[in-house]
């Protein structure tokens, strides 16, 4: 795909295929690394995660599939963002991924976490952990997307 294509001159069938591939690989990477990180975090700092035993959080039940599909939904949205802004990211695949993750964290996560913190009774540490977690997830996706982009 040329980076100079206008939105009206795109081959949408190819674009959907590329975005689907990025979402699949990015989602798998986010899923594996994020759940590994969460497992490690639960074991290292279990007291912090006791806050999730609050009734506000859905602990099990019929909506678990939504939780496990989250990395793939996130990767799909990030793939669209990557496709539109990839030409502005410089450096090797790791620097591109870090820059992409930071861009997402600043543009998307800080505003939504700001409003979440103002509306829901959660601690500053919880909000900060969500910011780090989401930014790292986007960074993981960015590294995978850069690798896929350079692999062509």
């Amino acid at each position: 795909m040329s980076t100079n294509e206008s939105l009206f001159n795109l081959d949408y069938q190819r674009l959907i295929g590329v975005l689907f591939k990025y979402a699949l690989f990015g989602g798998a990477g986010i899923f594996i690394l994020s759940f590994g990180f969460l497992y490690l975090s639960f074991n290292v700092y279990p007291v912090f995660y006791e806050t999730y035993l609050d009734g506000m959080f859905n602990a099990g039940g019929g909506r678990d599939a939504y939780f496990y599909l989250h990395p793939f939904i996130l990767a799909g949205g990030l793939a669209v963002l990557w496709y539109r802004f990839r030409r502005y990211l410089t450096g090797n695949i790791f620097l591109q991924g870090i820059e992409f993750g930071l861009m997402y964290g600043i543009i998307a996560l800080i505003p939504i976490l700001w409003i979440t913190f103002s509306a829901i009774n959660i601690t500053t540490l919880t909000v900060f952990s969500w910011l780090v977690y989401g930014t790292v997830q986007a960074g993981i996706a960015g590294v995978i997307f850069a690798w896929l982009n350079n692999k062509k």
Side-chain angles (χ1 to χ4, degrees):
M1 263 185 277
S2 168
T3 57
N4 295 327
E5 295 171 330
S6 90
L7 190 59
F8 301 105
N9 296 333
L10 293 176
D11 177 2
Y12 288 103
Q13 191 171 22
R14 182 169 180 258
L15 176 62
I16 296 298
V18 168
L19 293 178
F20 183 76
K21 178 176 85 169
Y22 277 48
L24 190 63
F25 281 97
I30 292 171
F31 183 87
I32 291 166
L33 294 173
S34 293
F35 281 100
F37 174 72
L38 283 176
Y39 180 78
L40 180 67
S41 298
F42 289 145
N43 289 319
V44 171
Y45 195 54
V47 174
F48 172 72
Y49 291 98
E50 287 178 4
T51 60
Y52 290 97
L53 298 177
D54 188 307
M56 177 175 64
F57 295 102
N58 180 21
R63 298 187 335 189
D64 286 350
Y66 294 128
F67 180 78
Y68 293 109
L69 286 174
H70 159 262
F72 298 95
I73 302 300
L74 175 63
L78 290 173
V80 172
L81 185 67
W82 171 267
Y83 176 76
R84 296 304 292 165
F85 293 99
R86 70 186 183 276
R87 65 179 148 234
Y88 301 110
L89 303 172
T90 59
N92 63 35
I93 63 172
F94 295 107
L95 289 176
Q96 289 177 9
I98 291 168
E99 187 176 358
F100 183 72
L102 289 173
M103 179 178 67
Y104 173 75
I106 292 167
I107 294 169
L109 292 178
I110 289 177
I112 194 64
L113 291 175
W114 186 277
I115 195 71
T116 301
F117 181 68
S118 71
I120 299 175
N121 188 21
I122 51 178
T123 67
T124 308
L125 183 59
T126 299
V127 172
F128 181 73
S129 73
W130 290 350
L131 176 63
V132 170
Y133 183 63
T135 303
V136 168
Q137 285 182 316
I140 291 166
V143 169
I144 292 169
F145 297 162
W147 177 73
L148 288 170
N149 195 53
N150 290 342
K151 196 173 152 196
K152 297 193 281 190

